[in-house]
Each structure stands twice: as C-alpha cells, then as structure tokens.
Amino acid sequence: MTHSKSVCFICNDETKKITYLCKGCSSEYCYEHLGEHRHELNQDFEILTNNYNQFQQRINEQKQNPQNSSLIEKINQWENESIEKIQQIAKECRKMVIKYTKILTNDIGKKFLELIQQLKQIRKENQYNEIDLNHLKSKLTQMTEEFIDPSKISIQEDSQKISITKSMKSIYQKWKQYGITIVDGELHELSCPQGFFIDEKNSLFITNYDRDYILEWKLNEKIENIIARDRAENIKDALCYPTDVILDKQNCSLIIADYGNRRVIRYFYKEQLDKQTIIDDIDCYGLAMDKYGFLYISDWKKNEVRRWRQGEQNGIVVAGGNGKDDRLNQLNRPTFIFVDDEQSIYISDSDNHRVMKWKKDAKEGVIVAGGNGSGDGLHQLSSPQGVAVDSCGHIYVVDYDNNRLMQWYEGDNEGTIIIGEDGGGNESHQLDEPRGLAFDLDGNIYIGDTGNDRIQKFERIC
C-alpha cells in the first residue's frame, strides 16, 4: 500500500490528508480503516484456507471409500425406486391372478355342479350305458385338466417387467335372441322406461319417465306396485322425469335421479314416508353406489361424475369436470354409470359415442368401448346409454341409436353384438331406442326398451 491524498473509501473523511491505496481492490483507506480492511482480508484468507482443507478431506475420504460418490448415490436411488416399482407390479399381478383364478374356479364349479346333477339324474333313472359313462368321464377329465392348468391365465416376463395375460373371451356367455316382455307399457302404464334396478329378491324398480313415478315389479310373483307417486295435494313435490333409481340397502331406501326437478331424492318406500331431497341443484342423470356406500352421480350439464359420502353437501369430482370435449380428461353429456369393486367408474359418454373407464383417483380415463365417432360399425357406438360390467371384465353397453346391446372387453378394438343384430323394431328380438340395463343373479339381461314402452328379458343359455 502507498499513501496519497485521496478520500478514504470507508469513512469518506476529506480532513484526513493521508490515505493508502489497496492494489487488490483499488480503493483508498485512511490509516484507521486500513487496519480494519487488512483484518477482513485475513478473515477471508482463513475461510479460504478452511475450504481448501475441507476439500482436501473430501478427496481423502473419496479415496478411502469410493462408494460414496454422488453417481453411486443416484444408482442406489434408482435401484431402490426400481425395486419398489417391481414390488408394486408384482403385488398387482398377484391380485390379478387371485381375481381371475376365482373367476375360473367359479366357472369350473358351475360346470361341475351341472355334471353332478346329470350324474344324480342318471343314477336315479338307473338307465345308463357305456356312452353315458364315457361322456361323464370325458367331462370330468376335461374339467380336471383345466383346473390343474388354467390355460386362460398366463404369465409373461422379461428382464424389465412381468405381466399377467388373461383370455376371458372363451368364457363369453350367451343369451337367447328372442326376449320376453316382463313389463308391458299398455298393460302396466309404462311409458319411456329409463334406468332400473334389480334387488336380490328379484324385485325390479323402474323409472317410469313420462308418468313421473317408480314402478316396482316383483318378477317371481308378477305383482306390480306403484311407489314414489305423490298424492294430489302434494303435487309440488312430485317427481319430474326420473331417469335412474338404485337401492340403498344400508338405509333400506330408494335413491332416485329426479332429472326434471334437478335433484336426487331418497324414498323409504316400505314405510311410505315423504321423499327427502339429499342433493339439490344438480343436473343428474345416472346413479351408482359402490360396496362402501359411496354414491356416484353423473351430471350431464357439468360433464362430470361426483362421488358423495352419506351426509356430504358437495361431493368430489371423480371423473370429468374439465369442460365439454373429447379429451381423455373430459366428458360430453355423461348418462348412465357403473362402479366395480375396485371403485373404477364406467361412464356412458353419450355425445362422444364411447364408454370411459376412470380408475380410482385417476386424472383421466381410458376408452374401453367405441371412441371412433358415431356409427354402426363393430368398432363404434352411437349415443351409448346403460352400461354394466361382469366379474370377468366384460363390458355391456346399450347402443341407443343402433338399437342393440354390445359386449366389449377392455383393450379390444371391436365389440360383439349380443342382442339386436337385425336392427330396430318392436319384435321380441328387436329393440327401439333402448336405454336402461341390468342383470339378475342368474345372469339374465333386462333392457329398458323405451321406444316400445317395455322391459325386455333375455335369458342366459350358457
């Protein structure tokens, strides 16, 4: 440092005649502050020396333990994450194997019971020969081989992943093509039936859309009962164009989508109590309830499906809710819905001419039927309505504009026509603007044939 007559950089005192230039920072300092500046330089030097020593220590540590590098840490992190992913995939695969094994076991069990009945009948009649015995032996051998080695489920694996392949198409059921009219519009004042529900006692609850009430039809007794129909003095609280109905077993009540009044109501039909509005100000259409008692409602105007817990006011959006369009996170006039045991929601996305599946907590859905524009091809739907899914994962869709019922399997490019191959009409093998869909415990199909004002039953044959 050299002295000069410049002003001190720190105190800026012009009375101090002598200053000293720091060649490092090119600033002038008086004698008093020169010491402070020097002290700061010493502190910085000590810090730098300490940093050097720390870095030297890191080098020595790395030499002694090369496993501690950041790259090794990234590899370890990748390994742990990969193990977690593999474990999760393996867990899902185990669940799938258990699920499909149960399905196949139940299928074989049903066939075995039928075989036992044949055996008992033959023994009862005491008339059989070698042909009968050989037939029974062949059937038992076939079922035994299928039970020991279920070829319908296979495991595919490579160095990166493992997956479960299932071939459930061979378990496709079949139904009679000519239906039975269970409820006739002329005989039972049924007009434009929409959604309906079948309980375990084979009681059919039908929304009588144009007559604003719910019709209960006891299938075994062929007895009808009009419920949720208001007395004359209570017209202000009457139903208006109900579209769907489900049974809430926990509360022994019916839940009804009162479309025209923009509300969802609860009706204790056995006690004949007044209806209770449980959700108001909603453009409701389809209803579903999962095994945990959560209620699902499709809102055709907001293009969303909400899930409601008992007593909740607003519910939460579980599908759609992102405007009206055809992207995978959107819906366009959703109608009927179905919820499976895993809380996946199947939605008839009518104006997008497709059925969407939204898994629990998913941000978007996947197309499981249709999605190729409106049309009558096997790869198309036109304004789908009622939807249901069986234990094998087959998806059944009421194809409204094409007057048919179709069966799809997730991942298939085309569906299969189950009922209505001959087009629309009023014959027993035809449908006209069908909407509602339900199955009974025996696997028989029921369709709300709105254009013909009837409920058609198609019996399962295998």
Side-chain angles (χ1 to χ4, degrees):
M1 293 184 177
T2 59
H3 59 84
S4 67
K5 293 184 179 180
S6 301
V7 178
C8 176
F9 176 75
I10 295 178
C11 65
N12 201 23
D13 188 350
E14 297 180 356
T15 63
K16 295 179 179 180
K17 303 296 184 180
I18 299 176
T19 59
Y20 301 86
L21 174 65
C22 176
K23 292 183 178 181
C25 64
S26 300
S27 298
E28 302 281 347
Y29 297 92
C30 68
Y31 183 78
E32 179 183 351
H33 291 112
L34 177 62
E36 291 184 9
H37 180 58
R38 186 66 185 177
H39 180 69
E40 290 176 356
L41 289 176
N42 290 336
Q43 285 183 327
D44 290 343
F45 187 80
E46 289 297 327
I47 293 173
L48 180 61
T49 302
N50 185 51
N51 290 340
Y52 266 79
N53 292 335
Q54 288 181 358
F55 185 70
Q56 180 65 50
Q57 184 179 353
R58 289 181 62 185
I59 292 175
N60 295 335
E61 289 175 354
Q62 186 64 42
K63 287 180 179 179
Q64 294 174 3
N65 191 357
Q67 294 289 333
N68 286 340
S69 73
S70 59
L71 294 176
I72 294 295
E73 289 179 2
K74 287 185 178 180
I75 293 173
N76 292 339
Q77 182 182 357
W78 170 83
E79 179 185 25
N80 292 332
E81 291 177 352
S82 298
I83 290 173
E84 289 178 2
K85 290 179 181 178
I86 291 171
Q87 289 175 337
Q88 182 62 33
I89 293 172
K91 181 179 178 181
E92 293 175 359
C93 288
R94 290 189 197 100
K95 288 174 62 178
M96 290 175 65
V97 168
I98 292 171
K99 175 181 177 181
Y100 299 129
T101 300
K102 284 183 179 179
I103 293 171
L104 293 173
T105 303
N106 290 338
D107 184 58
I108 293 173
K110 290 178 182 178
K111 293 178 182 178
F112 184 63
L113 287 176
E114 293 174 359
L115 197 62
I116 289 177
Q117 293 300 323
Q118 292 181 27
L119 186 65
K120 288 182 178 179
Q121 186 64 30
I122 290 175
R123 176 176 291 176
K124 181 179 180 180
E125 295 174 354
N126 199 25
Q127 291 185 4
Y128 51 88
N129 53 34
E130 290 84 357
I131 297 175
D132 296 322
L133 293 178
N134 289 334
H135 172 74
L136 292 172
K137 287 179 182 178
S138 175
K139 284 287 186 181
L140 183 58
T141 300
Q142 181 181 352
M143 280 187 282
T144 302
E145 291 175 351
E146 188 176 359
F147 184 75
I148 295 174
D149 181 22
S151 59
K152 293 168 185 173
I153 302 176
S154 62
I155 297 178
Q156 296 179 344
E157 58 180 314
D158 55 35
S159 59
Q160 299 294 324
K161 62 181 180 179
I162 184 171
S163 61
I164 306 300
T165 301
K166 52 193 180 301
S167 177
M168 296 298 182
K169 293 182 182 180
S170 57
I171 315 178
Y172 273 157
Q173 304 175 46
K174 293 182 180 179
W175 293 265
K176 292 181 180 179
Q177 292 300 298
Y178 288 82
I180 303 169
T181 301
I182 299 298
V183 185
D184 184 275
E186 293 184 6
L187 297 177
H188 306 101
E189 295 185 353
L190 188 66
S191 180
C192 197
Q194 302 277 312
F196 50 90
F197 185 90
I198 300 177
D199 68 9
E200 295 174 351
K201 297 180 181 179
N202 272 353
S203 287
L204 188 62
F205 299 92
I206 310 164
T207 57
N208 203 351
Y209 183 80
D210 281 346
R211 298 187 185 275
D212 301 327
Y213 63 81
I214 305 299
L215 176 67
E216 179 187 14
W217 178 261
K218 297 183 182 297
L219 293 170
N220 297 335
E221 304 171 28
K222 296 183 179 181
I223 298 174
E224 68 175 90
N225 179 30
I226 295 175
I227 57 179
R229 188 180 201 174
D230 289 279
R231 300 181 298 275
E233 63 269 20
N234 199 21
I235 289 297
K236 64 180 180 64
D237 195 39
L239 295 176
C240 182
Y241 301 129
T243 52
D244 206 1
V245 59
I246 58 174
L247 180 65
D248 183 359
K249 299 177 185 177
Q250 183 176 353
N251 292 287
C252 299
S253 62
L254 296 177
I255 297 178
I256 304 167
D258 193 7
Y259 174 90
N261 286 320
R262 302 184 63 250
R263 63 180 181 174
V264 177
I265 67 170
R266 183 186 300 279
Y267 186 79
F268 298 90
Y269 68 100
K270 289 185 178 180
E271 300 176 15
Q272 297 297 315
L273 299 176
D274 290 336
K275 293 185 289 293
Q276 299 175 355
T277 298
I278 57 176
I279 301 169
D280 207 352
D281 191 28
I282 181 172
D283 293 292
C284 51
Y285 199 101
L287 302 173
M289 182 171 286
D290 66 21
K291 62 182 181 181
Y292 303 105
F294 287 99
L295 177 64
Y296 298 75
I297 306 171
S298 65
D299 189 319
W300 64 269
K301 189 170 280 189
K302 289 184 178 178
N303 298 292
E304 66 185 22
V305 176
R306 284 183 176 263
R307 184 179 67 208
W308 307 72
R309 189 192 300 269
Q310 297 285 350
E312 272 186 341
Q313 296 299 316
N314 298 314
I316 61 171
V317 176
V318 290
N322 297 298
K324 180 174 68 173
D325 211 333
D326 61 357
R327 293 198 295 272
L328 294 179
N329 67 342
Q330 295 177 306
L331 300 170
N332 191 350
R333 195 178 176 91
T335 55
F336 293 100
I337 54 179
F338 179 90
V339 180
D340 66 16
D341 288 341
E342 297 176 353
Q343 292 181 293
S344 292
I345 312 163
Y346 296 79
I347 307 163
S348 281
D349 192 11
S350 64
D351 282 3
N352 280 326
H353 313 292
R354 65 189 185 185
V355 174
M356 300 292 292
K357 176 183 178 181
W358 288 64
K359 292 185 178 180
K360 183 183 178 182
D361 300 326
K363 300 300 181 183
E364 62 180 31
V366 294
I367 301 171
V368 293
N372 298 298
S374 177
D376 59 1
L378 293 179
H379 65 299
Q380 294 176 304
L381 297 169
S382 186
S383 299
Q385 297 293 311
V387 60
V389 183
D390 67 15
S391 59
C392 296
H394 302 131
I395 304 159
Y396 301 85
V397 188
V398 173
D399 197 4
Y400 176 80
D401 283 338
N402 289 318
N403 300 303
R404 64 190 184 186
L405 175 68
M406 295 197 72
Q407 183 187 59
W408 294 68
Y409 196 80
E410 186 174 346
D412 287 351
N413 295 321
E414 293 184 347
T416 303
I417 300 175
I418 301 299
I419 296 164
E421 289 193 20
D422 297 328
N426 59 6
E427 300 295 328
S428 61
H429 65 292
Q430 294 178 311
L431 302 169
D432 185 13
E433 298 182 346
R435 289 190 184 270
L437 173 67
F439 287 78
D440 63 20
L441 295 178
D442 296 322
N444 301 311
I445 294 174
Y446 297 78
I447 298 177
D449 194 12
T450 59
N452 290 316
D453 295 325
R454 64 185 182 183
I455 302 294
Q456 288 290 91
K457 176 183 177 181
F458 295 87
E459 295 180 332
R460 176 189 171 192
I461 55 178
C462 69

